[in-house]
Amino acid sequence: MFLITPNSELTEVEKSKLSLLEKIFRAPTEAFDLYLRNVSLGRKELLRLHYALWVLAPISKIAGNLIKIILDLVFGNEVDFNPFSGVITSLIIYPVLLLVVSQYDVVRVFYRKVDRTKGENYPAADVLTLAFLAFSSSSVFWILPSPINLGLIGISFLYSIYLSYIGMKRVSGLDSKEILIFFLFGTAYLLSISLVFVFIYNIIRTLLN
């Protein structure tokens, strides 16, 4: 999917992923419906789409740095000849955030008690992971200068939060109050896990010292 030439023929999976990416911006509710009903779009393909978008972040950042260097050479007095400035940050921010989002998705699936004996099923997975395609798409904004790129990336993050709200209402049937309670519960749960790891880390560091 990542390298698509004008003469290349797209597979059905690639067409579905491109359609999913388009709908996440133009018709979010249709994007969630497409993901749930299309058997070719599973978690594996969704993550591949995220990965393909992440690759654009360091490429865009390097391109933006090169443009800045050229402009500084022409119009400026001081030139920073480091085209790799900020590349690491642009690369790691997306997988780190998606790791957190995926944990929220796990909490969301098991948040409500499900009685399998009554025919109840767990809600669909990866709803929040799908919503954060919008944030992963912000990788192209790294080509812009600061703070414009950071502002647009922040907007993309807020839009992904909004899409998470839309997705949970669409897929899980939760109302606004239940969604708020879920996010508070999920945040408390993840913070509790983080505190456990921090506690263990401090004990190990104390013993080693």
Side-chain angles (χ1 to χ4, degrees):
M1 175 196 165
F2 182 63
L3 296 177
I4 299 175
T5 62
N7 296 324
S8 64
E9 185 175 350
L10 298 179
T11 64
E12 290 302 319
V13 175
E14 288 171 339
K15 290 179 181 178
S16 297
K17 288 195 286 188
L18 288 175
S19 178
L20 184 66
L21 192 57
E22 176 190 10
K23 290 181 183 298
I24 206 70
F25 292 99
R26 298 184 59 182
T29 54
E30 293 182 16
F32 291 103
D33 293 341
L34 173 63
Y35 181 73
L36 293 177
R37 71 170 182 264
N38 194 324
V39 294
S40 65
L41 291 175
R43 178 175 178 79
K44 184 178 180 180
E45 294 301 328
L46 179 60
L47 291 178
R48 282 182 176 177
L49 183 53
H50 275 285
Y51 301 155
L53 293 170
W54 294 349
V55 172
L56 296 176
I59 295 175
S60 298
K61 184 59 180 175
I62 292 172
N65 289 340
L66 292 175
I67 293 173
K68 184 178 183 299
I69 290 173
I70 294 172
L71 292 176
D72 287 343
L73 284 172
V74 176
F75 301 105
N77 296 323
E78 296 183 0
V79 181
D80 181 6
F81 287 98
N82 183 10
F84 301 103
S85 175
V87 170
I88 299 299
T89 301
S90 69
L91 185 61
I92 67 174
I93 187 175
Y94 296 100
V96 169
L97 182 61
L98 191 67
L99 176 63
V100 175
V101 170
S102 64
Q103 295 307 304
Y104 272 99
D105 247 339
V106 172
V107 175
R108 182 188 57 81
V109 170
F110 299 102
Y111 174 63
R112 280 183 166 181
K113 186 177 181 180
V114 173
D115 191 347
R116 302 300 294 272
T117 61
K118 296 182 180 179
E120 298 177 355
N121 295 315
Y122 290 106
D126 305 322
V127 171
L128 305 184
T129 305
L130 174 57
F132 270 77
L133 274 177
F135 181 74
S136 291
S137 299
S138 70
S139 57
V140 298
F141 294 139
W142 286 98
I143 197 172
L144 300 173
S146 270
I148 298 175
N149 54 1
L150 298 179
L152 292 175
I153 291 170
I155 292 173
S156 300
F157 175 77
L158 294 177
Y159 182 61
S160 293
I161 296 293
Y162 170 73
L163 290 178
S164 300
Y165 169 78
I166 295 295
M168 291 182 68
K169 289 192 69 173
R170 183 77 172 183
V171 175
S172 302
L174 301 178
D175 58 30
S176 300
K177 182 179 178 180
E178 288 176 313
I179 293 174
L180 177 60
I181 293 174
F182 158 74
F183 276 112
L184 292 175
F185 174 81
T187 301
Y189 173 75
L190 294 180
L191 286 176
S192 299
I193 294 178
S194 300
L195 288 175
V196 171
F197 281 107
V198 170
F199 179 72
I200 294 174
Y201 168 76
N202 286 330
I203 291 178
I204 294 175
R205 189 178 66 174
T206 302
L207 292 176
L208 292 178
N209 292 336

